[in-house]
Coordinates of all heavy atoms in Angstrom, one line a residue:
P110 N -28.8 -24.7 -42.2 CA -28.8 -24.8 -40.8 C -29.0 -23.6 -40.0 O -28.5 -22.5 -40.5 CB -27.6 -25.6 -40.4 CG -27.2 -26.3 -41.7 CD -27.6 -25.4 -42.8
T111 N -29.8 -23.6 -38.9 CA -30.0 -22.3 -38.1 C -28.6 -21.7 -37.7 O -28.5 -20.6 -37.7 CB -30.8 -22.7 -36.9 OG1 -32.2 -23.1 -37.3 CG2 -31.0 -21.5 -36.0
D112 N -27.7 -22.6 -37.4 CA -26.3 -22.0 -37.1 C -25.7 -21.2 -38.2 O -25.0 -20.3 -37.8 CB -25.4 -23.2 -36.7 CG -25.7 -23.8 -35.3 OD1 -26.5 -23.3 -34.5 OD2 -25.2 -25.0 -35.1
Y113 N -26.0 -21.5 -39.4 CA -25.4 -20.6 -40.5 C -25.9 -19.2 -40.3 O -25.1 -18.2 -40.3 CB -25.9 -21.2 -41.8 CG -25.4 -20.4 -43.1 CD1 -24.2 -20.6 -43.7 CD2 -26.2 -19.4 -43.6 CE1 -23.7 -19.8 -44.7 CE2 -25.7 -18.5 -44.5 CZ -24.5 -18.8 -45.2 OH -24.1 -18.0 -46.2
L114 N -27.2 -18.9 -40.1 CA -27.8 -17.7 -39.9 C -27.3 -17.0 -38.6 O -26.8 -15.9 -38.7 CB -29.3 -17.7 -39.9 CG -30.0 -16.4 -39.7 CD1 -29.6 -15.4 -40.7 CD2 -31.5 -16.6 -39.5
L115 N -27.3 -17.8 -37.6 CA -26.9 -17.2 -36.2 C -25.4 -16.9 -36.2 O -25.0 -15.9 -35.7 CB -27.3 -18.2 -35.1 CG -28.8 -18.4 -34.9 CD1 -29.0 -19.4 -33.7 CD2 -29.5 -17.1 -34.5
D116 N -24.6 -17.8 -36.7 CA -23.1 -17.5 -36.7 C -22.8 -16.3 -37.6 O -22.0 -15.4 -37.2 CB -22.3 -18.8 -37.3 CG -22.4 -19.9 -36.4 OD1 -22.7 -19.8 -35.2 OD2 -22.0 -21.0 -36.8
N117 N -23.4 -16.1 -38.8 CA -23.2 -14.9 -39.6 C -23.7 -13.7 -38.8 O -23.1 -12.6 -38.9 CB -23.8 -15.1 -40.9 CG -23.0 -16.0 -41.9 OD1 -22.2 -15.3 -42.5 ND2 -23.3 -17.1 -42.0
V118 N -24.9 -13.8 -38.2 CA -25.4 -12.6 -37.6 C -24.5 -12.1 -36.5 O -24.2 -11.0 -36.2 CB -26.8 -12.9 -37.1 CG1 -27.3 -11.7 -36.1 CG2 -27.8 -13.0 -38.2
R119 N -24.1 -13.2 -35.7 CA -23.3 -12.9 -34.6 C -21.8 -12.2 -35.0 O -21.4 -11.2 -34.3 CB -22.9 -14.3 -33.8 CG -22.2 -14.1 -32.5 CD -21.9 -15.4 -31.8 NE -23.3 -15.9 -31.4 CZ -23.9 -17.0 -32.0 NH1 -23.3 -17.6 -33.1 NH2 -25.0 -17.4 -31.6
Q120 N -21.2 -12.8 -36.0 CA -19.9 -12.2 -36.5 C -20.1 -10.9 -37.1 O -19.3 -9.9 -37.0 CB -19.2 -13.2 -37.4 CG -18.8 -14.5 -36.6 CD -18.1 -15.4 -37.5 OE1 -17.1 -15.2 -38.0 NE2 -18.7 -16.6 -37.6
L121 N -21.2 -10.7 -37.9 CA -21.4 -9.4 -38.6 C -21.8 -8.3 -37.6 O -21.4 -7.1 -37.6 CB -22.6 -9.5 -39.5 CG -22.2 -10.2 -40.9 CD1 -23.5 -10.5 -41.6 CD2 -21.3 -9.3 -41.8
D122 N -22.5 -8.8 -36.5 CA -22.9 -7.8 -35.4 C -21.5 -7.3 -34.7 O -21.5 -6.1 -34.5 CB -23.8 -8.5 -34.4 CG -24.5 -7.6 -33.5 OD1 -24.5 -6.2 -33.8 OD2 -25.1 -7.9 -32.6
C123 N -20.7 -8.2 -34.5 CA -19.4 -7.9 -33.9 C -18.6 -6.8 -34.8 O -18.0 -6.0 -34.4 CB -18.5 -9.1 -33.6 SG -19.1 -10.0 -32.2
L124 N -18.7 -7.1 -36.1 CA -18.0 -6.2 -37.0 C -18.7 -4.8 -37.0 O -17.9 -3.9 -37.1 CB -18.2 -6.8 -38.5 CG -17.3 -6.2 -39.6 CD1 -15.9 -6.1 -39.3 CD2 -17.5 -6.9 -41.0
M125 N -19.9 -4.8 -36.9 CA -20.7 -3.5 -36.8 C -20.2 -2.7 -35.6 O -20.1 -1.6 -35.6 CB -22.1 -3.7 -36.9 CG -22.9 -4.3 -38.1 SD -22.5 -3.2 -39.6 CE -21.3 -4.3 -40.5
E126 N -20.1 -3.5 -34.6 CA -19.6 -2.8 -33.3 C -18.1 -2.3 -33.3 O -17.9 -1.2 -32.9 CB -19.8 -3.8 -32.2 CG -21.1 -4.2 -31.7 CD -21.2 -5.2 -30.5 OE1 -20.1 -5.7 -30.2 OE2 -22.3 -5.4 -30.2

Side-chain angles (χ1 to χ4, degrees):
T111 296
D112 283 347
Y113 177 87
L114 177 61
L115 293 179
D116 287 346
N117 276 278
V118 171
R119 188 174 296 108
Q120 295 180 58
L121 284 167
D122 196 13
C123 288
L124 187 59
M125 293 301 111
E126 291 179 358

